[in-house]
Every structure is written in C-alpha cells, then in structure tokens.
Amino acid sequence: MRILIVGGTGLISSALATAAHAAGHELTLINRGRSEAAAPPPGAHVIHVDATDAEALREALHGARLRRERFDAVVQFIAFTPEHVAADVETFAPLTDQYVLIATSAAYKTYDRLHVLTEDTPQENAWWEYARLKAEAEQVLRSRAADVGLGWTIVRPAHTYGPSKIPGYTGNSAHPWTLVDRMRRGARIVVPGDGTSLWTLTHADDVAAGVLGLLGRDEALGEAVHITSDQALTWEGIHAAIARAAGLSEEAFARQVLHVPSDALVAAEPGAAGGIYGDKMHAAVHDTAKIRRLVPGWEARIPFEAGIAESIAWFEADPARRTVDSEADATMDAVAAIYVDALERVRLEVGRDARG
C-alpha cells in the first residue's frame, strides 16, 4: 500500500512507520522534522511542513493533487481539534481512500462501578478538554466525510507506552525518567488512592500493529475502534513492575511506596486535573472484541513486564535521555512529606493500637 502518516516521529506513529516499512509498504511522513526520538525508516519520503497549518499542508501536497496521486490510507496523529479535522477532510478527500483519525479512549464516560468499555460507550468527559476536543473531532469527521465521499476509520488508543515513555500515574511526558530516578535514589513512590484501581496499558508496537491491520480493509470503513491490551493492572502493580525493571527489590518498593489521594495530586498540580479526574482515577478495562474482528489474528502481544523493561533499557542506552524534571520532583517530595507527616500524626494522636 501507499501510506501517508501525518506525524511519524511520535510514540505510536513511529511504531506504525516502522511496522509499515517492515511490511514493505510505500511510506510518506509529514512532520516538522524536529523530533530526535525516532528517525524515519529507510526509504521513507518525508515532507517537512507544519501539518496544523492547512494552507501550508495543501501547498506541500500540491504536486500530488495536480497529478491526482492517491494514497491507500492517510493516518492522522496530530489533529487535536474539530477545526483541524474539518480542514483535513477538504485536504485529503482527493488524495486517499481511507482517512484514519487517531482519537482517544479518554473521551469515554466514566462510571461509579466496573464498566468494561466498548466502542459504544458514550463519550462524555467533563474534566478534560483534550478528550472533549478529540470526541468533537470524531463528530466532524463523521458529518463531513460523507459529503465528499471520504472513507474514514477512527482509532482510539488508551494509555500507550513504549521505548521513550514510562507510564507512571504522575507520568512526565517531557522527562519520563523522573519516576525511575525517584525509585533508584530511594525517594517516595507516590501511588494514587489505595493503588487498587484497574488500569490498561498498551505497548505502542501493539497499537501500531492494530492500526496497520485496519489500513486498506473495507470492513474498517465507517468504524470507530479502540486498540488496547487485555491486561488490566492495578496502579500499585504498575508501579511495582516499573520498580522491578528499575532494579528495586520488593522490600525497597514496599518501603518507598506511599498512597496519596488524587485530590492531593491535583491540589499540588492543578493543571493535572483533566488527566486525573477525567481519566486516570477511574478504572479502565476495555473490550477488544471489535479490533480482533476487524483485524483477524491481532492481539496485544507485549506484557507490561516485558515492555517496561525495554523502556528502561532504552533510556539507559543514552545518558542524554535520562533527564529529570526537578520542579515536578520537588512537588512530589513536598506532597510525600505532607502525607508521611499526616500518617504519623494520625498514628500518634488518633491511633489506639498501642494504647489499648
């Protein structure tokens, strides 16, 4: 196939580019050429342009439009607003048979009980603008693509990790090594609530394999599908697996772990309210029947224990990757100190075990 990826250097998009190249597809990437995390696969055609600028993007694709070249699929990773998708419909309708919008499962409604998420779960997120805008982008694609005869597929990844991402609850996108650094130097490991809420993590390679399997498949047109692992872990289990991969003993992890309410984490970092209240504090278990039906033979093959060991090895391979967010680190230290002190005060002032 001829595949165009808008992005191609991010976590999932670079994994898709690698998988598409390995499968022998003809690959074009559109990005700004600024990322150092992932290089384009050998032989890929790269167009450097700001893909959020519709006019600049159309100018970059002008030759292809004049020659009436077509791509079997365009996969859009960096559209975060309905306006961007509306412009994309106009841009790509003459150029592709299948426009794939990478959306998010964070848009799903949350429940006060364990509710296995399906693609029919309503999209309601009162807390997180990112998730709401992605859901609105889906609606624009559905309403406008039909008018111009553009085939479409929507993909909703959940919490995805890979070589360049370490997925802690208080994960740091710019400096993912911060969590491992805290673990290794004996700092408190802050885990939300009691650490027992279930959460789904999916390796980028597994998401990419699912996306690639949807490309060129007529059955996927007009469908929205999430691509996630079937492995649901507790947040305590997630942090324990990261700690083991980082070389901590079970005893060290037990000494360092500290359970802190999500409210406290938001109070310390108000900007995290959307991602915490609108996503991570709620149990997230996904039904993967639809992706399995649309892509026969697909399954999430990488267990978290193996995937996180690979991630840590990636960071260890280059000291320049092991940057630490000192401000976020200080915030976690401050929150931890307050809660350690609070627990000690409760033990001394309220606890009755020692007094009978």
Side-chain angles (χ1 to χ4, degrees), residues 19 174 206:
D206 285 330

Side-chain angles (χ1 to χ4, degrees), residues 102-327:
I102 304 300
T104 178
S105 68
Y108 288 138
K109 178 181 178 180
T110 58
Y111 292 83
D112 60 358
R113 68 209 71 186
L114 180 61
H115 179 93
V116 178
L117 300 168
T118 72
E119 286 80 0
D120 294 326
T121 299
Q123 292 186 303
E124 300 175 15
N125 193 319
W127 283 102
W128 204 2
E129 183 183 36
Y130 160 77
R132 291 197 304 274
L133 290 175
K134 281 286 196 178
E136 291 171 15
E138 288 191 25
Q139 293 303 321
V140 165
L141 179 59
R142 290 188 181 92
S143 64
R144 299 204 180 189
D147 295 339
V148 294
L150 176 62
W152 57 267
T153 303
I154 293 167
V155 172
R156 300 170 182 156
H159 196 162
T160 307
Y161 72 101
S164 60
K165 185 174 180 181
I166 296 170
Y169 188 87
T170 52
N172 191 305
S173 296
H175 305 278
W177 189 252
T178 303
L179 176 59
V180 175
D181 179 73
R182 291 186 63 80
M183 290 177 169
R184 287 185 170 176
R185 63 182 175 80
R188 286 289 185 169
I189 303 167
V190 176
V191 175
D194 293 320
T196 54
S197 182
L198 291 172
W199 192 250
T200 301
L201 294 167
T202 312
H203 195 281
D205 287 352
D206 285 330
V207 179
V211 174
L212 187 60
L214 293 168
L215 304 187
R217 189 175 292 273
D218 290 343
E219 296 88 342
L221 295 178
E223 298 287 349
V225 55
H226 53 231
I227 304 177
T228 75
S229 170
D230 291 312
Q231 184 185 36
L233 301 171
T234 66
W235 277 111
E236 182 102 355
I238 289 167
H239 284 80
I242 298 171
R244 285 193 297 272
L248 272 69
S249 66
E250 291 185 11
E251 293 76 16
F253 177 75
R255 285 194 305 270
Q256 291 173 232
V257 72
L258 179 68
H259 300 116
V260 174
S262 294
D263 286 345
L265 299 175
V266 173
E269 183 52 66
I276 291 178
Y277 289 153
D279 196 25
K280 289 180 180 176
M281 68 180 286
H282 304 278
V285 179
H286 299 75
D287 181 344
T288 60
K290 190 170 187 179
I291 182 64
R292 293 173 184 274
R293 174 172 59 81
L294 291 174
V295 184
W298 178 90
E299 63 177 337
R301 301 177 184 273
I302 303 173
F304 183 63
E305 292 78 4
I308 195 60
E310 174 195 73
S311 297
I312 289 178
W314 184 87
F315 281 92
E316 289 181 327
D318 184 351
R321 298 169 179 169
R322 300 195 294 272
T323 59
V324 173
D325 186 332
S326 57
E327 185 175 342

